[in-house]
Amino acid sequence: MTIADDIALAHRLADAAGAAIRPHFRAVDAERKADASPVTEADRGAEEAMRRILAAEVPRDGIAGEEYGYEKGESGRQWVLDPIDGTAAFLAGRPIFGTLIALLHDGWPVLGMIDQPILKERWLGVTGQPTTLNGQPVTTRACRELADATLATTGPHYFDDHDGAHFMGLAAKTDHKRMVMGGDCYNYAMLATGQIDVVCEANLKLHDWAALVPVVEGAGGTMCDWNGDPLHIDSDGHVLALGDPARLEDVIEALACHH
């Protein structure tokens, strides 16, 4: 398949997921998964719809999905699916969740899509191409000083005590009055669109971050772990996104100093 074929396939996956999700928005009762996070018919229905398309069109590709796990492929390619990233926001009726679709080659993300099916906003990132929002290019913004940066994270409860102390070390160096809590993948979309400067998170799984990397980097930003190393399939879940790569050393230094 060509990259154009992969992009077209990603759009079909997002369309199918959105069709499964929209009827349940603000009209759903949640269950509880084994890890106690809320899960809904929308999660399952959206991933099932995407998996059916992949099985029919690219049967040799692997699939890793939040709801239905891992299927090993034979092609060196893997589709990574998170049908609803931000389930708590979805259940609260807040349209800041997203469907995440990524394509990995040999463990490295080369295509990523963030789709917000209620607002009908769709970010597409592809290695070597500019990131787009609904087909129009978007870019991150410059950040001259870390003290001017707007920092975002999904929530403090996702950090253990150790990671939380490091996060607060970073927060103290940014414009903490403008700090954003909540948002999940939507924070990264806003960073790619020039609205947020830094996102810092821990304990993310592959399906949480794989789609975000091409979106952020294609908009001029950078994504890495807390040591500044590129993200790949074996990364440990400590994730940074920066709109202005010039601030990377400042962010790494601030994270390392938490006293």
Side-chain angles (χ1 to χ4, degrees), residues 97-121:
F97 63 91
T99 297
L100 300 181
I101 299 163
L103 175 61
L104 275 59
H105 282 186
D106 298 323
W108 297 91
V110 297
L111 179 153
M113 183 173 283
I114 305 171
D115 186 64
Q116 211 309 307
I118 307 304
L119 301 177
K120 297 187 177 179
E121 296 175 325

Side-chain angles (χ1 to χ4, degrees), residues 195-217:
Q195 304 297 315
I196 289 172
D197 300 298
V198 182
V199 185
C200 179
E201 313 222 65
N203 297 309
L204 298 190
K205 297 179 175 64
L206 178 65
H207 59 256
D208 294 317
W209 61 258
L212 310 175
V213 176
V215 171
V216 168
E217 294 187 345

Side-chain angles (χ1 to χ4, degrees), residues 94-173:
R94 304 175 69 203
I96 54 171
F97 63 91
T99 297
L100 300 181
I101 299 163
L103 175 61
L104 275 59
H105 282 186
D106 298 323
W108 297 91
V110 297
L111 179 153
M113 183 173 283
I114 305 171
D115 186 64
Q116 211 309 307
I118 307 304
L119 301 177
K120 297 187 177 179
E121 296 175 325
R122 183 174 295 177
W123 288 263
L124 172 67
V126 179
T127 298
Q129 297 185 20
T131 291
T132 58
L133 166 58
N134 294 346
Q136 298 301 310
V138 293
T139 60
T140 61
R141 67 185 181 192
C143 181
R144 301 176 73 178
E145 300 288 343
L146 188 57
D148 299 328
T150 296
L151 172 66
T153 194
T154 298
H157 52 292
Y158 292 101
F159 296 110
D160 61 24
D161 290 345
H162 178 265
D163 288 340
H166 284 279
F167 172 81
M168 291 308 296
L170 171 60
K173 299 287 188 180

